[in-house]
Amino acid sequence: MAATSLSAESAIAPMPPLTDSYGRVIHDLRVSITDRCNYKCVYCRTGEVGAQYPELRIDEYLRLIEIFVSLGVTKVRLTGGEPLLRRNVVELVRQLAQLRTPAGERLDLALTTNGHLLESLAAPLKDAGLNRVTVSMDAVDAATFERITRIEGSFAAVLAGVRAARDAGLTPLKINCVLLRGFNDDQIEGFARFARDEDVVVRFIEFMPLEEGRLWTPEIVVTLREIVDRIGRSMPLKELPPREASETARRYGFADGVGEIGIIAPVSQAFCGACSRVRLTSDGKIRTCLFSQVEHDLYGRLRAGASEGELREYIVRTVQGKEARHHIGEPGFLKPSRSMVHIGG
Ligand code: SAM
């Protein structure tokens, strides 16, 4: 499979940065390459619904991503569903690693996975040019973990995947944990120890109303403040400066200098003002916000024969319309038509 090359016209005409109408520069693209998942995490999926949306061919994702890159996207994260279920994901990474930004630089290539298939794929993905992975883990206790994923043996598989990724150099290795009150918030302190023992950055994420069922309430969200206070009682933390303005996680180090945790607080401390992200769903629709009420059919235009210039114009126009912010917890809040697993987390 060869990477399609940009037209001569696109190679010479410098493009202004991709910005929205609020002046935010968009340089981060998240691409779902399937909405299938091999886990049925109880806070995400009902367990009754499977894949709902078609997948594009791998070369079609590549073509669309390449156009975003020509417009200034410098960071691409593959996600899903579960992206490692997708055949040829290693080949896609290899092709993406060949792309260059308009400034001639390599992309920052990352992937978010549940880690179940990572033990055997970590080294090939690294060799293909992947820089980093984020592994989702919602418990450090095997029984709790498997009660959440509803897959027997999942804890051992993911732990092996985490260690393989670290050994392959897919670092800094981040572990994302979604916390729900009364459900897995007893894991907080265990995760803090896990971060130190396994040399990984654990990031707690506030639960957002993006589940297939109806579980979300304001009370179920374990907030940043609460997490910091709880860990701080046994292991003092100090806040670390952000590495970049659009960083989603607030970073904390342990007082003795060993280990780091992060907290992503989209509910209690929304960071929409610094958002640099857009998403492409597995069926090729642009979503300018996780909570968008509308999607923009980029792939439909590609299929209908739009030229590269037309596709670029469409992306620029769509990004201009990016929402100012989400409205979680406000009266009149509307859940998006797709849940997290079908959007691409
Ligand atoms: N299968 C991959 C994985 O498990 O990382 C990628 C897709 S998964 C939807 C991406 C991330 O979204 C996971 O870390 C998951 O825990 C998180 N997630 C799912 N539903 C969420 C919600 N309602 N609020 C916050 N995070 C959520």
Side-chain angles (χ1 to χ4, degrees), residues 273-327:
C275 184
S276 58
R277 241 155 282 124
V278 289
R279 289 179 157 79
L280 192 63
T281 59
S282 59
D283 56 340
K285 309 255 168 60
I286 302 172
R287 292 185 66 95
T288 47
C289 173
L290 267 177
F291 295 93
S292 291
Q293 295 296 323
V294 282
E295 299 180 336
H296 309 270
D297 191 5
L298 182 64
Y299 179 63
R301 282 167 174 75
L302 176 76
R303 283 295 299 265
S307 69
E308 190 162 300
E310 286 166 339
L311 293 175
R312 278 211 303 243
E313 245 171 61
Y314 183 68
I315 293 174
V316 169
R317 221 176 35 247
T318 300
V319 166
Q320 272 288 309
K322 181 172 163 69
E323 298 79 346
R325 62 185 187 90
H326 69 64
H327 298 274

Side-chain angles (χ1 to χ4, degrees), residues 36-39 41 43-45 78-83 112-115 134-138 176-178 180 205-211 216 266 290 339-342 344-345:
R36 289 175 285 135
C37 192
N38 43 356
Y39 282 3
C41 297
Y43 65 87
C44 182
R45 303 181 54 200
L78 300 180
T79 182
E82 173 45 44
T112 298
T113 172
N114 60 27
T134 299
V135 180
S136 306
M137 275 183 83
D138 301 310
N176 279 358
C177 166
V178 178
L180 279 75
I205 306 179
E206 290 177 350
F207 181 49
M208 295 179 276
L210 284 168
E211 73 284 22
W216 193 91
L290 267 177
S339 61
M340 190 67 134
V341 66
H342 305 294

Side-chain angles (χ1 to χ4, degrees), residues 255-275:
D256 63 4
V258 180
E260 179 181 324
I261 64 153
I263 303 175
I264 303 177
V267 180
S268 72
Q269 304 196 20
F271 38 81
C272 306
C275 184

Side-chain angles (χ1 to χ4, degrees), residues 129-244:
L130 190 71
N131 300 115
R132 285 172 294 111
V133 289
T134 299
V135 180
S136 306
M137 275 183 83
D138 301 310
V140 282
D141 158 67
T144 309
F145 189 88
E146 291 174 19
R147 186 169 53 79
I148 295 173
T149 61
R150 294 188 267 193
I151 298 293
E152 219 176 291
S154 53
F155 185 76
V158 173
L159 193 57
V162 166
R163 291 176 175 163
R166 200 188 45 207
D167 294 348
L170 289 165
T171 49
L173 183 58
K174 292 179 184 157
I175 306 288
N176 279 358
C177 166
V178 178
L179 284 175
L180 279 75
R181 186 178 314 284
F183 180 77
N184 65 342
D185 55 339
D186 60 344
Q187 303 288 305
I188 293 178
E189 290 83 358
F191 263 116
R193 282 190 295 276
F194 186 82
R196 290 158 65 88
D197 295 348
E198 295 287 333
D199 189 21
V200 294
V201 179
V202 171
R203 304 186 318 168
F204 298 103
I205 306 179
E206 290 177 350
F207 181 49
M208 295 179 276
L210 284 168
E211 73 284 22
E212 279 178 351
R214 290 199 167 268
L215 200 61
W216 193 91
T217 60
E219 293 71 35
I220 208 168
V221 179
V222 185
T223 63
L224 177 142
R225 196 59 272 150
E226 206 176 327
I227 299 168
V228 172
D229 288 350
R230 270 195 45 188
I231 297 178
R233 263 178 241 143
S234 50
M235 289 172 259
L237 292 174
K238 54 176 193 244
E239 189 159 2
L240 303 172
R243 286 205 201 86
E244 52 184 82

